[in-house]
Amino acid sequence: MENDFIEKMKEDLLEQKKTILASLADQSDDMKSLIKTVESGDEADVASDAIDRTLLTAIGTQDARNLQLIESALDRIRQGKYGRCIKCGNDIPTERLEAIPWALMCVRCTEEEERRNR
C-alpha cells in the first residue's frame, strides 16, 4: 500500500478522532444540563429528560466504539499493518478503506464473519 494513501488515511482518522472527542465533551455538558433540569422539573420534564439522557448515553456508546476502532486503525498504521485483512492477510481495497477507514477485514472475510454470526 502506498505511503501517501496511508498518510491521508491517518490524517482522516485523526480528524474523525478529534470530532468524536469534541462530541463526547459536548455530550458531557449536555448531560450536566439535563441533570440540573431533572432536579428542578415536573413529572413531564423528568420523563422527557430521561429519554434525552438515554439517547445521549446511546450516542456516547457508539462514539466510544468508533473511537476504539479509530485507535486500533492508528495502531495498525504505526505497526505497518494498516490495510491488511486480519483474517486472510490480503490487502483491503483502498475503496473500502476510504469508506471505512478502520476496516479490519476485506469484504470477503467480513461477509464470511457476518454469515457465521447469524
Side-chain angles (χ1 to χ4, degrees), residues 23-75:
S23 172
L24 289 172
D26 288 346
Q27 289 173 24
S28 177
D29 290 343
D30 289 345
M31 186 63 80
K32 290 176 191 171
S33 172
L34 284 173
I35 291 169
K36 287 180 185 176
T37 303
V38 169
E39 290 171 351
S40 63
D42 62 22
E43 289 182 28
D45 288 339
V46 171
S48 174
D49 289 338
I51 293 168
D52 289 344
R53 196 172 322 114
T54 301
L55 181 60
L56 281 173
T57 302
I59 291 169
T61 300
Q62 184 61 42
D63 281 344
R65 170 110 173 97
N66 288 342
L67 193 56
Q68 288 176 326
L69 292 168
I70 290 169
E71 284 296 334
S72 176
L74 291 169
D75 284 342

Side-chain angles (χ1 to χ4, degrees), residues 57-117:
T57 302
I59 291 169
T61 300
Q62 184 61 42
D63 281 344
R65 170 110 173 97
N66 288 342
L67 193 56
Q68 288 176 326
L69 292 168
I70 290 169
E71 284 296 334
S72 176
L74 291 169
D75 284 342
R76 289 192 308 280
I77 289 172
R78 284 188 283 277
Q79 296 169 2
K81 297 178 182 180
Y82 183 76
R84 311 265 308 154
C85 177
I86 62 168
K87 188 172 179 186
C88 71
N90 291 330
D91 284 340
I92 299 172
T94 56
E95 295 83 12
R96 178 166 173 76
L97 291 171
E98 287 172 339
I100 308 169
W102 49 79
L104 294 169
M105 293 183 274
C106 64
V107 173
R108 185 177 54 82
C109 290
T110 300
E111 288 173 350
E112 288 174 6
E113 195 70 23
E114 287 174 355
R115 275 193 298 274
R116 193 173 307 129
N117 291 331

